[in-house]
Each structure stands twice: as C-alpha cells, then as structure tokens.
Amino acid sequence: MTVDIEALKKELIFKTSRSSGAGGQHVNKVETRVTLIWDVAASALFSPSQKEILGHVLSSRVNAEGHIQLDVSETRSQLTNKKLAVDKLVTLLTEALQPVRKRVKTKIPRAKVLARLDRKKKQSVKKSERRWRME
C-alpha cells in the first residue's frame, strides 16, 4: 500500500522547539527540533478499517487523544528535520498496513526424524557401555 504524501502533509501539524545537545551558541537561539502531530481518527486518507488496523498496530505510538507524535532533531536544519519526520511517518504507516502473512506449517522430513532417533539410540548405547556392571 502506498501513502499519498501530498495529501498526508495537509493533515499534519508541525511544532518546532529548541533542540538539545551540542551546537554552541547557535543551538540556544534556533528552533530546529520538529514535532510532527497527526490525528489518526480525523484522517480522510484511510478507510475506517485501515484506521482500526493503524490504531491496533501503532497502539504504542498513539497517545490518549488519538494522535501520533514524532520528534525529530537529527540535523541542525528545521526543513531537513521536517522532511525526515514525514518520511518516518510514511514508513510507519506503510509498514503498519502491510498484510500479515500467515505462517505455513512445515512437516519435518522422515529422514530427519529417523536420523535424530538414530543419534539418540547411539548416545544411549554409548552411555550404557560406560556403566559398571556386576556379573
């Protein structure tokens, strides 16, 4: 499933704040950290069933108000951090909407089962030969 990035950008709210960490005087006056907020329930991009899947799969990332919030402060550029935040959200959404493939049970080949039983028998014989016997 592909996400329409342009339509998604219209639903996003960006907040900026001062980034922590090294940077000298520049970091104290420029707001480069970007917080992306997206309301899952109010989104017009996804069907109700897709919203339910997103709410379930991304439950650890959805807050009490039903918003997904991402903080990005990887670079010193606010614009680059915005792009990274959108990319991160798109990746999250596409991975969450991937259908879960059912696990197909495989049968252990008969030769492998017999080989295991043979190894066990040999080990048993080896250990029984070590025993001290009174005759």
Side-chain angles (χ1 to χ4, degrees):
M1 149 116 214
T2 57
V3 179
D4 184 8
I5 297 171
E6 293 305 315
L8 181 66
K9 283 182 182 177
K10 293 175 185 171
E11 297 181 353
L12 301 178
I13 299 168
F14 293 101
K15 290 184 180 177
T16 59
S17 59
R18 290 186 183 149
S19 189
S20 63
Q25 293 175 351
H26 183 71
V27 78
N28 297 326
K29 60 186 178 183
V30 180
E31 295 190 345
T32 56
R33 173 195 271 149
V34 174
T35 302
L36 176 145
I37 300 169
W38 180 62
D39 189 357
V40 179
S43 176
L45 292 173
F46 300 103
S47 68
S49 61
Q50 288 175 326
K51 289 179 190 177
E52 190 176 319
I53 292 168
L54 287 173
H56 179 69
V57 174
L58 301 175
S59 61
S60 63
R61 289 191 170 268
V62 177
N63 62 16
E65 294 91 40
H67 299 144
I68 291 180
Q69 184 172 329
L70 297 173
D71 290 324
V72 178
S73 60
E74 293 174 19
T75 68
R76 289 188 184 182
S77 165
Q78 189 184 102
L79 189 63
T80 309
N81 283 338
K82 276 186 181 180
K83 288 178 185 173
L84 289 172
V86 171
D87 291 343
K88 197 182 266 190
L89 180 66
V90 168
T91 304
L92 270 175
L93 296 177
T94 51
E95 287 177 3
L97 291 173
Q98 290 292 328
V100 179
R101 287 176 40 188
K102 254 192 159 182
R103 182 183 177 279
V104 179
K105 267 184 154 179
T106 56
K107 192 172 186 301
I108 300 172
R110 183 170 168 78
K112 293 279 186 189
V113 173
L114 293 175
R116 181 180 60 84
L117 293 174
D118 188 44
R119 278 195 317 271
K120 287 177 72 166
K121 193 160 291 223
K122 285 179 182 174
Q123 184 72 9
S124 171
V125 169
K126 186 195 305 182
K127 288 193 171 225
S128 67
E129 288 174 354
R130 289 182 192 159
R131 286 196 201 118
W132 181 73
R133 291 189 202 115
M134 200 185 307
E135 291 179 26

